[in-house]
Amino acid sequence: METGRDLVIAIDGPAASGKSTVAIELARRLGLSLVDSGSMYRAVTLVALEREVPFDAEDPLREVAEWVSANFRMETPVDDAPRVFLADREVTDEIRSSEVGKAVSPVSAVPGVRDEMVRLQRCLGGPGGAVVEGRDIGTAVFPEAPLKVFLEAPADERSCRRFEELRGKGGNATLEEVEAEIAKRDSIDSSREHSPLSRAPDALLIDTSGIGVGDVVDAIISALRERGLIS
Ligand code: CDP
């Protein structure tokens, strides 16, 4: 499949809407790199928790974000899930802990944190093209992206998916706890002042309920072909 040299595909959507799985598969099929912005905000949150930085302390949080920006690294093995590192330390599992999940939305609402992360996302996603996924990619990070996709699914289905995913990894959170965390994150992410979660008016809307990852990726590839972005 031929892709344009600097093709950026923006994929946004609420928690557990399927963004990560779809973005990984799409990047593999198109031979593009993957930029998972949620992992970056989660990494900032992990370090802020470890350094006991309060979530309303803008300057210290910006410093944490600067440090993460300089040390963040992601490996995307062909046959395995992506791995996230801060310098030489692997944090793939830690950034998915429930402590980080509970704190990530307040930390991500801090403007200084967002400025730093957006700079990193533009740096990683620009040259060579990429599939970039998050909450504000089509609206704020890459508003000129030639294809923007917004994935959605009803909250109860998203909670069930995340519950299954966590159980598969040996987690012991109840469905009720997962529902509460997702509802809270969606609410903070959508209502924050600085680049909230929202669908760009020109984004392709895909409801992922009851559809497999392969079908969602096929729909995105068809849209790319229709627009002449790949051949
Ligand atoms: O995988 P999941 O949908 O649970 O979330 P994620 O993509 O890992 O993102 C975790 C959190 O990071 C979100 O709930 C947002 O608070 C924040 N985030 C953001 O503010 N902006 C982005 N572009 C990506 C994530």
Side-chain angles (χ1 to χ4, degrees):
M1 214 173 298
E2 275 294 302
T3 55
R5 272 192 58 238
D6 292 337
L7 177 63
V8 170
I9 303 166
I11 303 188
D12 290 303
S17 53
K19 297 179 308 291
S20 299
T21 347
V22 166
I24 292 169
E25 184 60 26
L26 183 66
R28 277 184 191 148
R29 280 177 58 181
L30 296 177
L32 291 173
S33 57
L34 172 73
V35 180
D36 169 4
S37 63
S39 287
M40 297 175 187
Y41 289 100
R42 286 175 178 272
V44 173
T45 306
L46 174 69
V47 177
L49 285 168
E50 288 175 345
R51 295 188 191 172
E52 297 182 12
V53 178
F55 299 153
D56 55 355
E58 167 122 25
D59 287 343
L61 283 175
R62 181 191 280 273
E63 276 170 36
V64 171
E66 278 168 8
W67 184 84
V68 166
S69 181
N71 290 281
F72 184 91
R73 197 163 55 81
M74 201 162 162
E75 283 180 9
T76 46
V78 193
D79 305 326
D80 211 348
R83 299 170 68 188
V84 179
F85 296 83
L86 287 174
D88 290 334
R89 171 186 170 199
E90 178 161 13
V91 293
T92 312
D93 293 334
E94 279 164 285
I95 61 170
R96 299 259 147 214
S97 70
S98 71
E99 288 75 20
V100 170
K102 285 194 185 98
V104 66
S105 287
V107 170
S108 304
V110 172
V113 169
R114 301 204 72 77
D115 291 348
E116 220 26 72
M117 292 300 99
V118 168
R119 207 198 315 258
L120 176 63
Q121 289 150 29
R122 290 194 180 131
C123 205
L124 293 174
V131 177
V132 190
E133 60 118 330
R135 301 286 187 291
D136 58 341
I137 308 303
T139 51
V141 184
F142 287 106
E144 310 296 331
L147 183 68
K148 301 173 188 176
V149 180
F150 194 88
L151 299 184
E152 62 173 20
D156 56 346
E157 177 154 348
R158 292 189 282 114
S159 301
C160 283
R161 278 184 200 161
R162 184 53 48 94
F163 177 62
E164 292 290 325
E165 190 185 321
L166 292 172
R167 265 179 24 143
K169 287 184 190 157
N172 54 10
T174 64
L175 177 59
E176 209 175 9
E177 284 164 345
V178 173
E179 275 171 348
E181 190 210 300
I182 287 196
K184 187 144 191 230
R185 276 204 290 133
D186 282 353
S187 152
I188 301 176
D189 293 346
S190 311
S191 62
R192 68 176 173 230
E193 207 167 308
H194 193 315
S195 50
L197 162 70
S198 75
R199 178 186 161 203
D202 53 346
L204 172 70
L205 178 66
I206 303 179
D207 186 333
T208 63
S209 30
I211 322 181
V213 176
D215 292 334
V216 178
V217 173
D218 284 345
I220 298 174
I221 289 181
S222 300
L224 287 164
R225 283 217 176 91
E226 273 163 28
R227 290 164 201 224
L229 295 166
I230 59 170
S231 53

